[in-house]
Amino acid sequence: MGATWISWRTTTAVIITILQIRALISVKTTAVTGVEGQRFDFRCDYRNDLQSNAKYFCYDNDDKVSTNPLVRTAKHDQCKRNERFSLYDNHNEAFFTVTVDKLTLEDSGTYRCGVLITSLPDEISFIKLNVTTVTGSPIFPKDVTVDSE
């Protein structure tokens, strides 16, 4: 037979597909629970070589995928605040923390932590947040009988 020639377009498409599959396989989802009215912190880890990249945090529910981050840093920034959301990037330890002030029941859902990478798919992880309500006081239950003798 003869040699087979593969075009650069085909080669490029195969490489991009492999990178996308690798990115999808390495995505992790963490399930967490918060309490309505409380403050909540998310921790988003990333690779050590991405400290200077921009970071972002998005709401990402099934039918409401957001391309607008709730909070986003610029390249080399360490912190950013946007309304109830703030992001602090710990460059030394390769993670960033997102803080949400005063959780509401509507905050329940899936969120995406992302590190912007220009030439490859972004490094992302997902957080599934379930916000619960507190009934009564956690310190003093409603139905307490006290004997007074």
Side-chain angles (χ1 to χ4, degrees), residues 16-134:
I16 290 172
T17 302
I18 290 170
L19 289 173
Q20 289 173 337
I21 291 170
R22 182 176 164 256
L24 289 173
I25 291 171
S26 65
V27 172
K28 67 177 184 176
T29 301
T30 304
V32 294
T33 301
V35 178
E36 184 180 29
Q38 299 286 319
R39 182 181 106 169
F40 196 81
D41 295 319
F42 297 98
R43 179 181 163 136
C44 305
D45 297 303
Y46 57 84
R47 293 190 332 250
N48 283 332
D49 61 329
L50 301 174
Q51 285 98 336
S52 64
N53 293 45
K55 314 301 185 302
Y56 59 89
F57 186 73
C58 298
Y59 187 73
D60 201 23
N61 252 359
D62 297 333
D63 56 340
K64 298 178 185 176
V65 174
S66 174
T67 56
N68 267 346
L70 296 166
V71 62
R72 177 186 176 166
T73 64
K75 193 172 186 177
H76 300 290
D77 279 355
Q78 272 196 289
C79 58
K80 183 71 173 186
R81 181 162 182 82
N82 184 15
E83 297 176 11
R84 295 184 308 126
F85 298 88
S86 58
L87 189 154
Y88 173 75
D89 188 6
N90 184 332
H91 292 163
N92 295 331
E93 301 294 324
F95 72 88
F96 63 92
T97 304
V98 175
T99 300
V100 183
D101 292 328
K102 298 179 186 169
L103 284 175
T104 67
L105 293 176
E106 291 78 29
D107 289 328
S108 290
T110 303
Y111 293 85
R112 180 173 13 123
C113 293
V115 179
L116 188 64
I117 303 174
T118 53
S119 60
L120 297 171
D122 292 353
E123 181 167 311
I124 59 172
S125 59
F126 292 95
I127 296 172
K128 175 100 171 111
L129 172 64
N130 180 33
V131 179
T132 62
T133 60
V134 174

Side-chain angles (χ1 to χ4, degrees), residues 7-21:
S7 74
W8 65 272
R9 287 183 184 165
T10 304
T11 303
T12 303
V14 168
I15 290 170
I16 290 172
T17 302
I18 290 170
L19 289 173
Q20 289 173 337
I21 291 170

